[in-house]
Amino acid sequence: MRDARFKKIVGDLVADGARTALVMLAIATGIFAFSSVLDAQVILSRELEVNYARTVPSEATLSLGDSASVSTSVGLGPDILRRIRSLPGVSDALLCADLEGRIRVPGGKWIPLNLFVVPDYLDQRMDLITSVTGSWPPREGEVLVERAAVGLLGSALARDVEIRLCDGVIRTVSNSGVAHAPGLAPAWMERTVYAWVSRDTAARWGGVAAMNSVKLRVSNGEHDRARIAAVASRVRAELESIGIPVEHTSIPVPGRHPHATQMLSLLFLLESFGLLAMALSAILCASTIAALMNRQVREIAIMKAVGGSSSQIALMYFAKIALFAGLSCAAALPLAYRVAVVYAKFSARLLNFTLFDCSVPPWAYALEIATAFVVPLAVAAFPVIRGSRLSVREGLSDSGTRAPRGDGISARGDGVSARGGGFAALGDGVATNSLLSSVSRPLAFSVRNAFRKPARLMLTVFTLAAAGAIFMTAMNIGASMDASVVRKFDASRYDLKLRLSSPIPDADFDMVLGLSLIHISQGIVR
């Protein structure tokens, strides 16, 4: 019996070669869509976390007040750092500068600049950066540019670049090379150039480039934001007690890259579409199996007549679906992995981090294989079990779909009568023959045949509806994102944003605003 069932499975595959190829292609497409996104998600989420952890990110940043007066009157330096590091809960502290300014790009346009000052490039304690090309560390009068910002400065970086800080003075510094800071949000996304200078260069510029930030690492924080906030508050109180004002305390999400949420949200959407594609391919497989069983009703009856049970027949068709899934997995999984690696490398370049390991853990492959087998088998379970329970009498008496006779449509039990769920009586009791007598016979035959198997009709309609829903969902998501961006900018209701270094009286606001606009216009003309 086992050999006979195996021969029948192989015979069905050979006899329905085109349909078999279509089903395998559909399942392989669903597996490919689901597996490629899952592989990319596993690689990207792991590598982004690894890259971010390697930078030893600061867990809190305290932005100091008037840094120029602070640095001269209090003597902000090693003694203050030792005092901060001795506080309970502080693992390490670093004094640095984060300066906002502008940098001139080819064509004379000025774009935003974040200029960082690291006390010692050879002994970095947190928020590590690495050299890509050029001199390391930067010498006095030199600047390092983050690699993701190279595109903002043009394809070829000039040897000298012009920068302008809050004092409005244009300074020319030598471009000494490129650095990499995977802990920062991508420069192209923020539309801001990141650059670094030495402490000697900042000292030459005077108070405008004085140290203005204290970065902290918390001991035994374990990504506990409440504990980090408590330690930061303790440090802030200590600084203010010795006359150093703190304007703002920033605590990022512990252990998470600044743009990890955006990446994971996009991958979640892609994974959702992959699952939907997998479900649609499974429905197509189930529809094909159901059609095959409808054509083999008499064969099923004969197998039962010679001793076959319903469970044996159902197992035979389930084995056929499992064979489809296995062959589809063998073809789709390797291709899905290759595409996932390509997409992961592309995303890594966009998010400005490095892929150290492109391997996929075994649990991901196990999930993909399980999904490839379970989803088609689960979707096809109803038509297979229903078809395998057909009695010998019902199977041998089945004559398929009859051709229309006379000028109407047959009203036998499996047709369009009330028993078949068709059109024997509609509303006022008009019979199907009378209702469709004016319709051409091919069209009437098609309608009758469509409603002959209500379950098959529902399966087909659901497949088409789901495919249309996926397409419309993708279009709606794109349109919604575009509309959200437009609404955000429309709600801003301003074209220029000014940040003052110190408070001013309300009476002086108009004068300061006018002087600022004159200064900006002169910078644009230059």
Side-chain angles (χ1 to χ4, degrees):
M1 182 66 180
R2 184 174 303 171
D3 292 338
R5 282 182 288 171
F6 177 76
K7 291 180 180 179
K8 175 169 174 50
I9 293 175
V10 175
D12 290 342
L13 295 179
V14 174
D16 293 328
R19 189 172 303 200
T20 299
L22 179 62
V23 172
M24 289 182 57
L25 178 62
I27 297 179
T29 302
I31 297 172
F32 168 79
F34 172 73
S35 301
S36 58
V37 179
L38 179 61
D39 291 348
Q41 183 178 19
V42 170
I43 295 172
L44 287 173
S45 58
R46 179 191 62 216
E47 293 303 300
L48 186 61
E49 183 178 348
V50 168
N51 275 257
Y52 190 61
R54 287 192 177 193
T55 66
V56 192
S58 57
E59 296 173 310
T61 301
L62 280 69
S63 300
L64 306 182
D66 189 350
S67 55
S69 61
V70 167
S71 60
T72 55
S73 63
V74 182
L76 190 61
D79 294 338
I80 300 298
L81 282 180
R82 282 193 291 269
R83 188 166 179 172
I84 294 174
R85 290 169 184 165
S86 65
L87 294 175
V90 177
S91 173
D92 199 359
L94 177 68
L95 180 63
C96 58
D98 181 358
L99 311 172
E100 293 184 354
R102 311 285 284 182
I103 186 169
R104 193 195 295 269
V105 297
K109 182 180 179 181
W110 293 88
I111 63 176
L113 167 71
N114 265 22
L115 189 65
F116 303 100
V117 181
V118 177
D120 189 352
Y121 287 86
L122 299 180
D123 184 24
Q124 301 180 62
R125 293 176 174 270
M126 60 189 77
D127 293 336
L128 308 184
I129 65 171
T130 56
S131 175
V132 178
T133 60
S135 61
W136 181 266
R139 295 180 290 268
E140 183 178 350
E142 294 182 343
V143 63
L144 287 172
V145 178
E146 215 288 321
R147 72 177 189 182
V150 173
L152 298 177
L153 297 179
S155 57
L157 288 175
R159 180 171 180 80
D160 296 325
V161 293
E162 293 180 321
I163 63 174
R164 186 175 62 201
L165 300 179
C166 61
D167 59 352
V169 178
I170 298 177
R171 298 176 174 87
T172 301
V173 292
S174 299
N175 177 20
S176 64
V178 178
H180 181 214
L184 294 174
W188 67 268
M189 195 175 295
E190 299 293 323
R191 306 304 299 174
T192 300
V193 174
Y194 302 129
W196 290 264
V197 295
S198 66
R199 192 166 189 172
D200 293 336
T201 302
R204 189 179 69 180
W205 294 343
V208 70
M211 299 299 184
N212 62 1
S213 299
V214 174
K215 295 184 177 182
L216 302 176
R217 291 278 299 176
V218 177
S219 58
N220 300 323
E222 299 296 334
H223 300 324
D224 186 350
R225 199 167 188 176
R227 175 174 171 76
I228 296 172
V231 174
S233 298
R234 191 177 301 133
V235 174
R236 178 170 186 164
E238 181 69 19
L239 289 173
E240 292 179 342
S241 68
I242 57 177
I244 302 176
V246 177
E247 287 186 345
H248 178 67
T249 301
S250 174
I251 302 176
V253 179
R256 173 164 292 190
H257 188 273
H259 284 180
T261 302
Q262 291 90 321
M263 183 197 71
L264 294 177
S265 299
L266 176 61
L267 290 173
F268 173 76
L269 288 175
L270 293 176
E271 191 67 28
S272 300
F273 286 117
L275 283 171
L276 289 174
M278 185 70 218
L280 289 179
S281 65
I283 292 173
L284 179 59
C285 176
S287 179
T288 303
I289 293 296
L292 178 63
M293 295 189 73
N294 287 334
R295 290 191 294 108
Q296 295 183 352
V297 168
R298 292 195 174 189
E299 296 181 20
I300 295 174
I302 292 173
M303 285 187 287
K304 281 195 167 186
V306 298
S309 64
S310 298
S311 59
Q312 289 175 329
I313 295 173
L315 182 61
M316 182 178 64
Y317 285 98
F318 280 134
K320 187 180 297 186
I321 299 172
L323 180 61
F324 289 158
L327 295 176
S328 300
C329 273
L333 290 183
L335 181 60
Y337 172 73
R338 288 178 173 82
V339 172
V341 171
V342 172
Y343 179 77
K345 291 180 178 179
F346 169 75
S347 298
R349 287 195 299 271
L350 290 181
L351 295 178
N352 195 31
F353 67 93
T354 304
L355 295 180
F356 297 105
D357 182 11
C358 292
S359 64
V360 176
W363 67 263
Y365 286 124
L367 178 61
E368 292 162 6
I369 294 174
T371 303
F373 279 87
V374 171
V375 174
L377 289 173
V379 175
F382 176 73
V384 169
I385 294 175
R386 186 191 61 178
S388 63
R389 290 179 176 177
L390 191 69
S391 65
V392 176
R393 182 189 61 81
E394 291 175 334
L396 294 178
S397 63
D398 183 83
S399 58
T401 303
R402 289 186 179 181
R405 61 186 180 185
D407 57 352
I409 299 178
S410 173
R412 60 186 298 271
D414 61 345
V416 293
S417 63
R419 176 171 173 249
F423 302 103
L426 298 176
D428 56 355
V430 180
T432 305
N433 292 346
S434 301
L435 181 65
L436 298 179
S437 59
S438 60
V439 180
S440 63
R441 291 191 177 187
L443 178 58
F445 184 76
S446 300
V447 172
R448 174 178 178 271
N449 195 40
F451 284 90
R452 180 172 175 267
K453 298 291 183 180
R456 183 177 62 186
L457 176 63
M458 292 175 60
L459 196 62
T460 303
V461 171
F462 176 77
T463 305
L464 294 175
I470 293 175
F471 176 77
M472 289 186 290
T473 300
M475 298 294 292
N476 290 338
I477 289 175
S480 176
M481 293 178 66
D482 293 339
S484 298
V485 173
V486 172
R487 285 196 299 268
K488 179 181 182 300
F489 282 98
D490 289 343
S492 299
R493 298 181 181 274
Y494 63 83
D495 299 317
L496 180 66
K497 180 179 180 180
L498 298 176
R499 294 182 61 185
L500 304 179
S501 58
S502 60
I504 62 171
D506 293 342
D508 298 338
F509 177 77
D510 292 338
M511 180 185 67
V512 173
L513 179 60
L515 293 175
S516 300
L517 293 176
I518 293 174
H519 177 71
I520 292 172
S521 63
Q522 291 175 347
I524 294 174
V525 172
R526 285 196 296 267

